[in-house]
Structure formats: structure tokens, C-alpha cells
């Protein structure tokens, strides 16, 4: 999901449909959706293709570019699965730069080398699968958002245990995190998390709040992980029952000389709040975060650290230690097909934003621009598949800078359906009314459980209506297993929808694209 304001210009189109055969036909139902007053200034594009009949069943503005939001992640993840392989695994390693003395002292630095693995977290289960919350913690302003179950430091603790098992009791040098696979980068546009090849707990610190015992008391905070990387001051007060909760971080996150930070969370939480409320702290420098939490995990495992990080590390020089005889620990990720599930089910923006750089870094080793290299490889894949590149615009992995035609998206999904890894790609998609970002959409529809598709949202503010905003783009694209046993491939986009309230407006337009899919589920029976 993307919520960043952009400025684009586009013509406004009026939809015209052929006369429908019955009130329950797909065309009749779509016409009623288009005729709603909330869409009178909007553009709608739809294409529906029958896999069995090998033809387009319906198209509305199929060759016009639409803002797709996070349906862009279909290309990002689909191309990564094809280029890297569904069983690709990240190997994150720790190296020492000196010998281990007889007393258990590592006479040098300890270096965690970022591999681009987005899941140094608590997502990994004993069977190698990954878990997720339908409302991901990165989208902490959304009702129902919750931390990922489990210990967010699970992988970091695993590293510390392996270091201690080597007989290391003391580290004479520094704890370093090498983020040069691609540098700690900008914040991605949707959730504001910093992009990095080292990702601990999705580069977040989770803050879960509950009301105090009575009005005027501070809120009760639970912070995970508890780390000296950031000291969070609790300035959230408990207010009377029935009041409205609101929260905001103070401007001017204070960075300290040692790389730690100080932040203040302000706001109000009403008495009787039925569910805890999540707000996350977006880590400004993921590599420093990794260094600090690793040093804390080592201390817990009985390993002391003597060195301090007072000067920038020269990782070009330190790379000479990245050899088997200097390796102290390794974490091997679950296969990429499991990461695909996390990214697509919950629309995990950070993971998607990383992926083009990951692809470029691994397949174009030594590239000065892994991000562009990743897109070059994706373009080659799309051209080889015979897709019309002029019908696609993409400059990030998550959907903050993208436009596609419905016809292009349908044909990309048809290409995916012909790949040997398609079952993994298909299983990673949200299911209408059942899970992921579709869990609350069309829950009571007969189509619930039969539409497997990626959602997309891209919106921004409106100074003329500061309590509302504009949905630049809302989309849904994927596969439908119809009532009569056929498979459809579809893409549906609604662009340019002014809303008075962003939360309710997003839900309204989300239901509308869900209705389009539900209408297709049983609207082509003749």
C-alpha cells in the first residue's frame, strides 16, 4: 500500500457499456458500480481473460495507463521468482577479522554482512514457513495492525548463540554491519521504512499501547525489541472512555554520537480501548540498528565486546576477511517462495522495494547501480515473454512510481501462469474475504475464497480538503476460479477518487474493485 502524494495529469474518461443481457450479468453489475456518484470524476479500467477459452471476455480502457499501486508487486515478485528461482535462499554470514585466543578472545572485529535477506526477524517458523499478520505492522496507522508473532530478535539471537558456541567469550574489536550489497537507502514511499540489505524486524521497533488504569495516567507501553538503539519517551495520556485515539512522533528524532536515537511518542488513548494499539518507530539507519541489537544479543549470550565504533569502517578493505576460514556464523533463509508469500499477502512495501536491488546485486555482481540492474533484468524477462513494454512504467519495487495498462497486467499474469513455479506464486496471493489485504473485502460474497489477487492503493493529501485526500489509484489483479469451474485472469483499476476520509474512502474503493472481481466470478456463465 502506498500513501504518498504525487502530481500527475490525465484525461477523464466516461465509461460506456454495451447493453447487458440480464441485471445479474457482469456488464450490468459493472455499469452500476461505475454509475456510483463517488466515481463521477474517476477513471476505471478492466480486462478479464478466460484461460479456458483463450480470449478476452471483457475490456474497458484496456490499453490506457492506470496508477496500479501495489499491484506492481506482482511484477516485482513474479520476476524475482523467475530470475532467482523459487528455491533461492539468502546466506547471511558473520566473519571475524582476527584469531580466537586461548582464553576465548576474538582478536579483531566481528562483521555481520548484509545479504539482502528481508527476514532477520521472528517470521520464520520451525518448519521453514513464514507467518504474517493480515494487517502488517509496517502499516501501523491501520486498525488491526499488530507485530509479527514471536521474538523479533530470533535470528539475531541465533547468531549470538552460534558465536558463543565457537568458544568466544570476548570480542576485542568492534561489532560491524556491512550494508554495501546496496547501501542503506532512502525511505520507501508507502510506510516510510528505510531500504537496506540488512533488515532486522522489518527495520522497525514495535510500540504496543494500552490505556492506563484511569484518566490522566500515561499509557502502558510494550516495546519490542527492547534495545538501547532508541530510547522512546512515553508522552501518551489516557483520556475518558469514548474519546478518539491519536498518536504522533515528535519532530526532530535526536541522533546521538554513538549512533543511538531518542524519540518521543505523543498522543491520547481512551479508557476501555478494546484492543491494544500499535505504533512503530522507523529505524533511521538499519545497519547501526543491526550492530547494536547484535552486540546486545552477544552480551546476553555471555560474550563481551571491548571495541567501540568511533570511526567509519572501510568495508572495501574488510572484504578480504570474507572467507571460509574467517566465517563464524551463518543464517540460511527459507526459500524465496516463502518471502513471496509475506510480500504479496500483506503488501510488505520494504520487502518489495528491496527486491529489484537484490536481483541486480546477485545477478549483476559488481554493478554500480544494483537497482537499475534489477530493472534491466526485469525488462529483459518481460521482452522475452513478448510483453508490450510501452504499456508499463515502473521505477520502484512497491508501486510508488508505476503505471500499467490492464491488458499488460493480464498478459503478465498469463505469463506467470505458464511458469513452473506458478503454484508458489499463486499460493502467495491474498484470497478474497479470507486473508492478507483481502481479508475484509467481500467477506460474505459467494466469490470469497475463489479470487486470488494482489491489491493496490496509492493516495495522497488534498489541501482543499485537509481531512480527506485523493486516491490516485486503487487496483486488484490476479486470478478467479469461477462458479462454473473456469479460470479467469483479470486486472481492475479505479483512479482519481476524491475521499472525505482516507480510511473509509480506501475501504469503499477497495470493496468496489472486489465487487468487480466478485461479479466476474459468476457473471460469465453463458
Amino acid at each position: 500500500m502506498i500513501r504518498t502524494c504525487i502530481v500527475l495529469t490525465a484525461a477523464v474518461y466516461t465509461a460506456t457499456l454495451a447493453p447487458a443481457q440480464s441485471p445479474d450479468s457482469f456488464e450490468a453489475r459493472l455499469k452500476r458500480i461505475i454509475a456510483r456518484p463517488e466515481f463521477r470524476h474517476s477513471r476505471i479500467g478492466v480486462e478479464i481473460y478466460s484461460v479456458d477459452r483463450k480470449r478476452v471476455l471483457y475490456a474497458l480502457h484496456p490499453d490506457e495507463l492506470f496508477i496500479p499501486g501495489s499491484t506492481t508487486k506482482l511484477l516485482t515478485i513474479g520476476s524475482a521468482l523467475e530470475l532467482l528461482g523459487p528455491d533461492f535462499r539468502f546466506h547471511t554470514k558473520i566473519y571475524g577479522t582476527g584469531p580466537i585466543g586461548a582464553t576465548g578472545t576474538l582478536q579483531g572485529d566481528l562483521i555481520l554482512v548484509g545479504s539482502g535477506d528481508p527476514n532477520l526477524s521472528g517470521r520464520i517458523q520451525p518448519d521453514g514457513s513464514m507467518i504474517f499478520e493480515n494487517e502488517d505492522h509496517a502499516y501501523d496507522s491501520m486498525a488491526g495492525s499488530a507485530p509479527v508473532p514471536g521474538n523479533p530478535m530470533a535470528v539475531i539471537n541465533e547468531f549470538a548463540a552460534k558465536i558463543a558456541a565457537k568458544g568466544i567469550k570476548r570480542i576485542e574489536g568492534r561489532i560491524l554491519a556491512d550494508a554495501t550489497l546496496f547501501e542503506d537507502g532512502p525511505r520507501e514511499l508507502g510506510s516510510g521504512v528505510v531500504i537496506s540489505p540488512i533488515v532486522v524486524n522489518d527495520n522497525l521497533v514495535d510500540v504496543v499501547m494500552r490505556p492506563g488504569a484511569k484518566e490522566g495516567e500515561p499509557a502502558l507501553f510494550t516495546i519490542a525489541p527492547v534495545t538501547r538503539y532508541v530510547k522512546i519517551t512515553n508522552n501518551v495520556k489516557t483520556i475518558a472512555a469514548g474519546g478518539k485515539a491519536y498518536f504522533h512522533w515528535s519532530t526532530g528524532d535526536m541522533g546521538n554520537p554513538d549512533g543511538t536515537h531518542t524519540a518521543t511518542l505523543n498522543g491520547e488513548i481512551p479508557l476501555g480501548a478494546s484492543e491494544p494499539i500499535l505504533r512503530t518507530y522507523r529505524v533511521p539507519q538499519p545497519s547501526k540498528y543491526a550492530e547494536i541489537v547484535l552486540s546486545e544479543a552477544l552480551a546476553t549470550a555471555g560474550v563481551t565486546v571491548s571495541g567501540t565504533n568511533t570511526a567509519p569502517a572501510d568495508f572495501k578493505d574488510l572484504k578480504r576477511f570474507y572467507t571460509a576460514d574467517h566465517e563464524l556464523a551463518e543464517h540460511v533463509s527459507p526459500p524465496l517462495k516463502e518471502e513471496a508469500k509475506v510480500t504479496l499477502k500483506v503488501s510488505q512495501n520494504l520487502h518489495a522495494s528491496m527486491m529489484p536491488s537484490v536481483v541486480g546485486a546477485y545477478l549483476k555482481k559488481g554493478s554500480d547501480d544494483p537497482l537499475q540492474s534489477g530493472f534491466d533484468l526485469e525488462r529483459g524477462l518481460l521482452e522475452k515473454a513478448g510483453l508490450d513494454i510501452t504499456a508499463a512504467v515502473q521505477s520502484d519495487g512497491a508501486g510508488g512510481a508505476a503505471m500499467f495498462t490492464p491488458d499488460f497486467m493480464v498478459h503478465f499474469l498469463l505469463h506467470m501462469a505458464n511458469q513452473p513455479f506458478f503454484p508458489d506464486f499463486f499460493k502467495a496471493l491474498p484470497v478474497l474475504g479470507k486473508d492478507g489485504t483481502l481479508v475484509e473485502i467481500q467477506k460474505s460474497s459467494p466469490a470469497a475464497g475463489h479470487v486470488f489477487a494482489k491489491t493496490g492503493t496509492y493516495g495522497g493529501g488534498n489541501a482543499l480538503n485537509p481531512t480527506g485526500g485523493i486516491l490516485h489509484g486503487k487496483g486488484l489483479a490476479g486470478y478467479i476460479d469461477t462458479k462454473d469451474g473456469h479460470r479467469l485472469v483479470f486486472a481492475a483499476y479505479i483512479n482519481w477518487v476524491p475521499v472525505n476520509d482516507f480510511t473509509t474512502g480506501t475501504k469503499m474503493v477497495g470493496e468496489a474493485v472486489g465487487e468487480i472481481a466478485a461479479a466476474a466470478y459468476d457473471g460469465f456463465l453463458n
Side-chain angles (χ1 to χ4, degrees):
M1 179 177 294
I2 303 289
R3 293 186 177 182
T4 301
C5 186
I6 59 173
V7 178
L8 295 174
T9 59
V12 177
Y13 290 80
T14 302
T16 57
L17 299 175
Q21 293 181 346
S22 76
D24 294 323
S25 72
F26 174 80
E27 289 191 15
R29 291 165 70 177
L30 179 61
K31 188 174 183 179
R32 292 197 292 271
I33 294 170
I34 291 172
R36 292 173 184 170
E38 55 264 32
F39 299 138
R40 64 187 179 275
H41 303 303
S42 308
R43 293 177 60 220
I44 296 178
V46 180
E47 182 165 302
I48 298 173
Y49 183 96
S50 169
V51 174
D52 306 289
R53 301 173 190 175
K54 294 183 172 54
R55 65 179 177 87
V56 174
L57 299 181
Y58 181 83
L60 174 67
H61 302 150
D63 296 317
E64 297 175 16
L65 288 166
F66 285 83
I67 296 172
S70 288
T71 63
T72 303
K73 294 181 175 77
L74 293 165
L75 270 77
T76 301
I77 296 302
S79 61
L81 288 170
E82 186 165 352
L83 291 164
L84 294 173
D87 295 316
F88 171 86
R89 294 174 187 262
F90 296 95
H91 292 252
T92 306
K93 299 183 179 185
I94 291 181
Y95 298 95
T97 65
I100 302 171
T103 60
T105 297
L106 173 63
Q107 297 167 11
D109 297 325
L110 192 77
I111 308 173
L112 169 65
V113 181
S115 67
D117 185 349
N119 290 297
L120 303 182
S121 67
R123 293 187 187 273
I124 305 168
Q125 299 303 289
D127 64 357
S129 64
M130 291 193 199
I131 56 174
F132 59 88
E133 288 289 320
N134 290 319
E135 296 290 357
D136 192 68
H137 62 161
Y139 301 117
D140 61 353
S141 62
M142 299 179 67
S145 298
V148 177
N151 183 356
M153 292 295 104
V155 175
I156 298 300
N157 290 342
E158 171 195 324
F159 276 130
K162 288 178 178 178
I163 298 300
K166 292 281 187 181
I168 297 173
K169 297 181 174 60
R170 178 172 170 267
I171 296 168
E172 194 174 70
R174 303 163 293 178
I175 305 298
L176 300 173
D178 180 349
T180 59
L181 182 71
F182 50 93
E183 297 285 352
D184 282 358
R187 294 180 184 270
E188 57 83 12
L189 293 177
S191 56
V193 179
V194 174
I195 302 167
S196 172
I198 300 179
V199 179
V200 177
N201 193 39
D202 300 317
N203 292 340
L204 300 169
V205 175
D206 297 307
V207 182
V208 178
M209 294 169 288
R210 295 172 174 81
K214 59 183 180 180
E215 187 176 347
E217 287 190 354
L220 303 176
F221 266 32
T222 301
I223 298 173
V226 176
T227 171
R228 67 180 178 85
Y229 177 81
V230 60
K231 179 183 178 181
I232 298 175
T233 300
N234 176 7
N235 198 23
V236 178
K237 302 299 182 185
T238 305
I239 61 173
K244 185 176 181 179
Y246 84 92
F247 311 95
H248 67 92
W249 294 97
S250 291
T251 57
D253 179 357
M254 295 174 58
N256 303 312
D258 63 354
T260 62
H261 288 258
T262 303
T264 300
L265 183 59
N266 306 288
E268 297 177 343
I269 186 169
L271 281 168
S274 58
E275 298 291 338
I277 297 175
L278 172 70
R279 285 295 179 272
T280 53
Y281 174 78
R282 274 82 167 151
V283 169
Q285 189 180 1
S287 55
K288 178 59 68 174
Y289 181 40
E291 290 174 356
I292 289 175
V293 295
L294 178 57
S295 68
E296 291 168 335
L298 286 165
T300 300
V303 181
T304 60
V305 180
S306 301
T308 57
N309 299 8
T310 57
D314 182 355
F315 288 113
K316 283 187 177 180
D317 177 63
L318 290 170
K319 278 181 169 60
R320 60 194 169 95
F321 295 105
Y322 300 174
T323 60
D325 55 329
H326 287 278
E327 183 180 318
L328 298 175
E330 178 184 30
H331 169 74
V332 181
S333 75
L336 187 62
K337 57 192 175 187
E338 279 297 312
E339 162 53 31
K341 179 179 70 176
V342 172
T343 300
L344 295 180
K345 287 284 190 186
V346 305
S347 202
Q348 227 296 340
N349 265 16
L350 172 62
H351 296 204
S353 296
M354 295 169 61
M355 200 55 63
S357 295
V358 167
V359 170
Y362 277 94
L363 299 183
K364 294 286 187 180
K365 294 186 184 298
S367 169
D368 292 333
D369 189 348
L371 177 62
Q372 184 58 53
S373 294
F375 282 119
D376 292 343
L377 289 160
E378 180 183 318
R379 179 189 176 103
L381 179 154
L382 298 173
E383 289 177 333
K384 185 178 178 181
L387 297 175
D388 178 9
I389 301 299
T390 68
V393 177
Q394 185 184 2
S395 295
D396 78 332
M403 297 184 82
F404 301 108
T405 69
D407 183 72
F408 174 89
M409 185 59 75
V410 164
H411 281 83
F412 175 77
L413 291 168
L414 286 168
H415 171 71
M416 285 290 103
N418 289 323
Q419 303 311 304
F421 58 82
F422 177 66
D424 299 315
F425 180 74
F426 186 80
K427 289 176 186 175
L429 295 170
V431 182
L432 188 73
K434 299 298 181 181
D435 72 8
T437 52
L438 283 175
V439 67
E440 295 295 333
I441 301 297
Q442 294 289 295
K443 288 176 70 74
S444 61
S445 167
H450 302 284
V451 176
F452 310 85
K454 181 72 196 73
T455 56
T457 306
Y458 193 95
N462 177 4
L464 293 177
N465 183 9
T467 62
I470 177 76
L471 275 171
H472 299 294
K474 189 77 175 147
L476 189 64
Y479 308 90
I480 302 169
D481 288 342
T482 67
K483 188 176 182 179
D484 58 345
H486 295 284
R487 174 157 290 177
L488 307 178
V489 182
F490 79 102
Y493 294 111
I494 302 178
N495 281 190
W496 311 117
V497 185
V499 293
N500 289 323
D501 177 84
F502 206 92
T503 299
T504 57
T506 299
K507 172 74 171 174
M508 176 269 293
V509 187
E511 284 288 351
V513 291
E515 283 182 70
I516 293 172
Y521 167 72
D522 58 9
F524 292 104
L525 299 181
N526 297 326

